[in-house]
Amino acid sequence: MAWAISRQSLLKQLLTDPRVSKNPRLHWRAWHEGEVTSDWPLINWVAVQNMFTAYGADHRRLRTLVSKAFTARRTAALRPRIEAISADLLDRLAAAPPGEPVDLREGYAYPLPLQVIYELFGLTDEGLRARMSAFADSSFRTTTSPEEVAAASAEMDAIMAALVASKRERPGDDLTSG
């Protein structure tokens, strides 16, 4: 079972409650007892180990690695690029024929964070961007089959390996190079 929290006050309460965990390895009985199998459609959401699921010293170590990318100066420097991405997406929506409905989620709310993430990670290759978008699409579908989950997981590993290899050859001013 999963919950979606929509009230700020409840979210704050949950995030500060020591009984609530973001790490299934610590508190989820079904995980410990092997009831959650690798072909479960949401496995990529729960099995991930990263800064968001880490605690204590491990969380601090990982946070330190990315903190330079989120200083006030770096965030302000991203503003013009994010504004340009936003303006481009809005222009595309505005170009719809008069009277035609537009899908705000598909045309703006969904691509905006993906494109900002691509910028942060220095993901400039259009082919890798398309592959990453396809991965994100499959990750958010609850109807994904076990075979699709396995394929998506392998694809994400391949995308990240390609990105890291390209940044080793041509480092940039981005999270991946950092």
Side-chain angles (χ1 to χ4, degrees):
M1 178 185 300
W3 295 86
I5 308 304
S6 59
R7 285 195 329 246
Q8 179 70 23
S9 60
L10 181 56
L11 179 61
K12 184 176 182 179
Q13 182 182 348
L14 288 170
L15 288 173
T16 58
D17 189 322
R19 298 169 299 165
V20 177
S21 175
K22 55 192 172 183
N23 185 341
R25 290 160 220 42
L26 295 179
H27 305 288
W28 194 11
R29 182 199 54 77
W31 186 271
H32 287 283
E33 295 180 9
E35 295 172 24
V36 181
T37 60
S38 62
D39 62 353
W40 181 47
L42 299 178
I43 194 73
N44 290 331
W45 284 71
V46 233
V48 67
Q49 290 184 274
N50 60 29
M51 180 178 70
F52 301 111
T53 60
Y55 286 95
D58 196 34
H59 176 78
R60 281 188 296 282
R61 178 185 63 80
L62 294 168
R63 189 183 65 215
T64 299
L65 293 173
V66 298
S67 64
K68 293 175 199 144
F70 297 102
T71 63
R73 183 182 61 79
R74 294 281 306 219
T75 303
L78 281 172
R79 184 183 189 117
R81 183 64 188 126
I82 294 170
E83 288 174 347
I85 292 168
S86 297
D88 179 57
L89 293 170
L90 290 172
D91 288 345
R92 290 180 193 189
L93 290 174
E100 284 287 315
V102 294
D103 186 337
L104 189 57
R105 182 209 172 273
E106 193 65 30
Y108 188 80
Y110 180 68
L112 179 61
L114 280 178
Q115 289 186 34
V116 170
I117 289 167
Y118 298 157
E119 295 286 326
L120 285 170
F121 281 89
L123 184 58
T124 57
D125 180 282
E126 287 303 321
L128 283 180
R129 281 184 173 205
R131 289 169 63 191
M132 182 68 86
S133 292
F135 168 79
D137 290 344
S138 72
S139 294
F140 289 103
R141 269 195 322 266
T142 58
T143 59
T144 304
S145 72
E147 296 78 23
E148 290 170 320
V149 169
S153 203
E155 175 67 354
M156 184 57 170
D157 289 346
I159 292 166
M160 296 310 290
L163 177 58
V164 168
S166 75
K167 291 301 172 177
R168 283 187 174 139
E169 288 179 21
R170 292 175 307 285
D173 187 20
D174 54 64
L175 276 173
T176 307
S177 298

